[in-house]
């Protein structure tokens, strides 16, 4: 559930969403189709972990710690 919230936060800003799609190579249709795919879910959190200011802002917006976001990524990656 947290990973879906992360994707929602990432996609809420056009500039950030564009960077995410460019960096992941996903397009909107593939993203929508992959919302139940752990790899797609992890990609949103990985996107944040590669840019600490966004990681911190997302954590604040989602009322979690950055460490909880990283733990969610790790849990989905296994």
């Amino acid at each position: 559930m947290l990973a879906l919230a992360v994707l929602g936060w990432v996609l809420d800003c056009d500039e950030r969403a564009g960077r995410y799609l460019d960096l992941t190579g996903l397009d909107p249709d593939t993203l929508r189709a992959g919302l139940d795919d752990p790899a797609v879910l992890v990609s949103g959190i990985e996107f944040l972990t590669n840019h600490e200011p966004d990681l911190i802002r997302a954590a604040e917006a989602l009322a979690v710690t950055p460490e909880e976001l990283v733990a969610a990524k790790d849990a989905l990656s296994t």
Side-chain angles (χ1 to χ4, degrees):
M1 204 57 154
L2 183 55
L4 284 173
V6 165
L7 283 174
W9 185 85
V10 167
L11 298 172
D12 189 48
C13 167
D14 288 340
E15 180 183 333
R16 192 172 45 238
R19 280 188 299 133
Y20 168 74
L21 294 174
D22 287 345
L23 290 171
T24 62
L26 294 170
D27 60 55
D29 291 333
T30 305
L31 177 60
R32 275 189 289 278
L35 290 178
D36 61 348
D37 180 348
V40 171
L41 295 173
V42 166
S43 72
I45 302 173
E46 285 180 342
F47 171 77
L48 295 178
T49 61
N50 289 320
H51 188 67
E52 187 175 2
D54 280 347
L55 177 66
I56 293 168
R57 282 194 292 271
E60 289 172 354
L62 299 172
V64 297
T65 66
E67 294 80 12
E68 288 174 289
L69 291 175
V70 172
K73 177 183 75 77
D74 293 344
L76 285 167
S77 297
T78 57

